[in-house]
Amino acid sequence: MALRVTTPSVSSTDPSLLLTPFQWTNHASIAQLDPRPSFDSEVYRTFATPPSGNSYLVPASFAGAFGSDLWLESWSYLAVNHRLPENEYPTSNTTLCGPITDSRILPADTYYLTCSVYVKSGATLTLNPGTTIKAYAQDSTGKATILVIEQGAKIMASGYANYPITFTSVLPEISLPRTGTWGGVLVLGKARINSNSSIDGTANVEGLRPGYGIYGGFDDADNSGILRYVRIWYAGADQDVITSTTNENSGNEINGLTLAGVGSATSISYVEVTET
């Protein structure tokens, strides 16, 4: 009798994990890790179903060790050493990542800054009272996550004392307070600045690549929007590539809130920046 051997099929697919360390040499080099796949990952579409008749196998809705549940929370080494985010899952409606080119209104909810967001010229980002944005420590390039309101863009973040707008860390409360857990908020305007050597009166803000942080000019009445009853917590991470939990003070930090060349038509009141 001949024995027939079947070779299993093999495929290689990027699981699109929420956060993998940019450099991973040992546990000390991990600033933050989230091994769960993102909401649009292939693992939610390509997975095996248990063969019929095997009642001891439990069907799963994903391939791999993780779905939306971060079962490492609270008890694992990574959790105890503040490397894991809160066990909350960024969905398609609550994930903030990449450029915003069209105006967007965020209803009051909790959102997740999974990579840096740049609001482009002509677009307005509106945050309703009570909105919370939780930021991951870094993106896939190892850079701290930031929210940038570019020249010509606006942020309309007008909260109330009892419904403030909060920017904070994705870390669980038990791991906080902690400084430098993400980058921060940058507002780049077109007003005159006191030091530049360019013909158009502009410069590039510290922490951003040339061309990605342009501010300044000659429009002193420029309007970048409103910040009112806004809380910015645990920001100020170094903008050099994060390779450990102690990588800081390279001289390339971002403040919790950076106002660069912001014009007089911009309204800023009742803003708290702490633990940066």
Side-chain angles (χ1 to χ4, degrees):
M1 180 177 69
L3 179 64
R4 181 179 180 182
V5 178
T6 301
T7 303
S9 61
V10 178
S11 63
S12 178
T13 302
D14 182 357
S16 301
L17 303 184
L18 281 168
L19 179 60
T20 54
F22 178 71
Q23 295 185 12
W24 196 340
T25 55
N26 53 53
H27 69 273
S29 69
I30 303 173
Q32 194 173 87
L33 171 69
D34 192 338
R36 298 174 296 175
S38 62
F39 67 87
D40 57 352
S41 172
E42 185 67 24
V43 305
Y44 292 120
R45 297 184 290 273
T46 306
F47 55 90
T49 56
S52 60
N54 290 320
S55 59
Y56 57 90
L57 295 177
V58 178
S61 58
F62 56 89
F66 293 91
S68 60
D69 179 34
L70 187 60
W71 47 263
L72 291 172
E73 68 163 335
S74 75
W75 63 272
S76 67
Y77 174 89
L78 291 170
V80 171
N81 287 275
H82 317 295
R83 306 295 210 281
L84 295 179
E86 185 76 66
N87 192 5
E88 300 170 352
Y89 190 68
T91 66
S92 59
N93 293 326
T94 60
T95 296
L96 300 175
C97 180
I100 293 178
T101 56
D102 297 315
S103 294
R104 184 174 178 184
I105 299 174
L106 299 184
D109 202 344
T110 298
Y111 299 87
Y112 302 91
L113 199 68
T114 59
C115 76
S116 293
V117 170
Y118 290 76
V119 183
K120 297 295 185 176
S121 179
T124 298
L125 176 63
T126 301
L127 310 180
N128 277 304
T131 295
T132 296
I133 295 179
K134 295 185 176 183
Y136 276 73
Q138 62 187 46
D139 59 20
S140 60
T141 69
K143 292 280 192 178
T145 55
I146 53 179
L147 171 63
V148 181
I149 312 303
E150 294 190 352
Q151 286 187 316
K154 291 181 181 179
I155 181 170
M156 306 300 289
S158 186
Y160 302 103
N162 55 339
Y163 290 103
I165 293 165
T166 306
F167 295 87
T168 186
S169 171
V170 78
L171 287 172
E173 288 297 322
I174 196 172
S175 296
L176 300 170
R178 183 175 294 268
T179 62
T181 66
W182 62 290
V185 178
L186 299 89
V187 183
L188 311 178
K190 298 180 180 180
R192 283 178 287 187
I193 56 179
N194 62 4
S195 176
N196 71 81
S197 58
S198 63
I199 296 175
D200 60 1
T202 65
N204 207 88
V205 74
E206 177 185 357
L208 301 188
R209 291 177 296 169
Y212 283 81
I214 297 173
Y215 71 100
F218 302 106
D219 184 3
D220 292 343
D222 183 41
N223 185 356
S224 295
I226 299 172
L227 295 174
R228 179 179 172 85
Y229 286 110
V230 172
R231 309 184 298 191
I232 303 173
W233 295 347
Y234 319 126
D238 196 291
Q239 280 299 290
D240 277 8
V241 172
I242 300 173
T243 56
S244 73
T245 56
T246 58
N247 180 50
E248 58 179 309
N249 298 325
S250 72
N252 205 26
E253 298 87 7
I254 289 215
N255 299 310
L257 175 62
T258 298
L259 302 173
V262 172
S264 61
T266 306
S267 177
I268 300 173
S269 59
Y270 304 105
V271 174
E272 175 190 60
V273 180
T274 188
E275 299 291 341
T276 61

